[in-house]
Amino acid sequence: MLDIFHETQEPFLLKELERIGPKQKGIVSQSVKDVVQSLVDDNLCHCEKVGTSNFFWAFPSESAVKRQVKLAQLEKELVLLQAKQRELNEAIGNAQLGREQTDERAGLVEELGEVEGRWNGQQEELKQFAECDPVLMNKKREEARVAKDAANRWTDNVFIIQGWIKDKFSMDMDEFNKYVGIPADLDSI
């Protein structure tokens, strides 16, 4: 379909393309509309509404210009990436200065490994005593108090609803509790 646009270098109506496509390129006439729409979606062909008609076109020079623009963009990106690579290589070189492998450095690296090992061991030991941490215990006590207050608040709400039902409908509370599923021993904590 794109060849039809490039060979003729003219704009076409969809009806003209549906007539020309099967004859020249062997495209099934029912699929011409879908093919043209996919070309428009891929920016390989243009569609412009003029009056009540939609015109479709694509010129060969357009694709060459698009490729040149894309090539120029990629070349700029390549230059930027090469500059970034040079900067990173310089940074690696600068970072390696003073890090030559010497006996002193090897000893310090070994000492660092030992200190890290001791630190990790102490962290494991500290985790064992975390349950007895006063801050954690105070936090758990506060959470328990909040949970208890919330449970009492809901229990009070149930009692308020029971009183309202009793006053409004003159209903026996035992019957209401059995119907709703409230246990007989419900009380505040």
Side-chain angles (χ1 to χ4, degrees):
M1 185 58 69
L2 198 56
D3 292 339
I4 294 173
F5 290 125
H6 289 181
E7 290 168 1
T8 59
Q9 297 184 10
E10 308 178 354
F12 291 99
L13 292 169
L14 185 59
K15 288 182 182 180
E16 294 172 337
L17 290 172
E18 288 174 341
R19 193 177 57 244
I20 295 171
K23 290 180 184 174
Q24 289 185 4
K25 298 297 177 184
I27 300 171
V28 179
S29 61
Q30 288 84 4
S31 68
V32 168
K33 183 176 181 179
D34 295 334
V35 171
V36 171
Q37 187 59 46
S38 69
L39 290 174
V40 170
D41 292 343
D42 294 339
N43 290 327
L44 296 174
C45 132
H46 297 282
C47 175
E48 192 69 39
K49 187 170 183 83
V50 178
T52 59
S53 304
N54 285 330
F55 284 92
F56 299 92
W57 74 91
F59 300 119
S61 61
E62 234 181 303
S63 61
V65 169
K66 283 182 182 179
R67 283 191 293 256
Q68 287 175 347
V69 167
K70 183 69 173 175
L71 179 64
Q73 178 187 5
L74 291 173
E75 286 174 348
K76 283 182 183 178
E77 189 175 335
L78 177 65
V79 168
L80 291 173
L81 290 174
Q82 286 173 341
K84 181 75 171 173
Q85 182 184 17
R86 280 192 299 273
E87 288 176 20
L88 291 174
N89 286 337
E90 274 183 34
I92 289 171
N94 290 339
Q96 288 177 343
L97 290 177
R99 291 187 180 183
E100 294 80 21
Q101 196 61 23
T102 62
D103 292 337
E104 180 185 354
R105 178 168 166 67
L108 290 173
V109 168
E110 185 177 324
E111 184 181 341
L112 176 64
E114 291 172 6
V115 169
E116 285 178 343
R118 280 195 314 256
W119 186 81
N120 288 334
Q122 290 172 348
Q123 290 299 317
E124 290 298 321
E125 188 177 339
L126 190 61
K127 284 181 186 177
Q128 293 174 357
F129 296 116
E131 292 180 10
C132 299
D133 184 15
V135 174
L136 183 62
M137 294 300 278
N138 288 337
K139 182 179 175 186
K140 285 184 179 183
R141 281 189 193 111
E142 180 62 25
E143 289 172 353
R145 187 190 62 76
V146 168
K148 180 180 175 184
D149 290 346
N152 286 333
R153 186 172 39 255
W154 281 104
T155 305
D156 291 344
N157 290 343
V158 169
F159 289 147
I160 291 170
I161 290 173
Q162 283 178 337
W164 183 80
I165 294 289
K166 183 178 179 182
D167 293 342
K168 186 75 172 174
F169 300 106
S170 301
M171 189 176 207
D172 181 41
M173 281 300 100
D174 292 333
E175 186 180 319
F176 173 75
N177 289 346
K178 188 184 294 182
Y179 181 73
V180 177
I182 298 174
D185 60 347
L186 178 68
D187 200 2
S188 296
I189 300 175

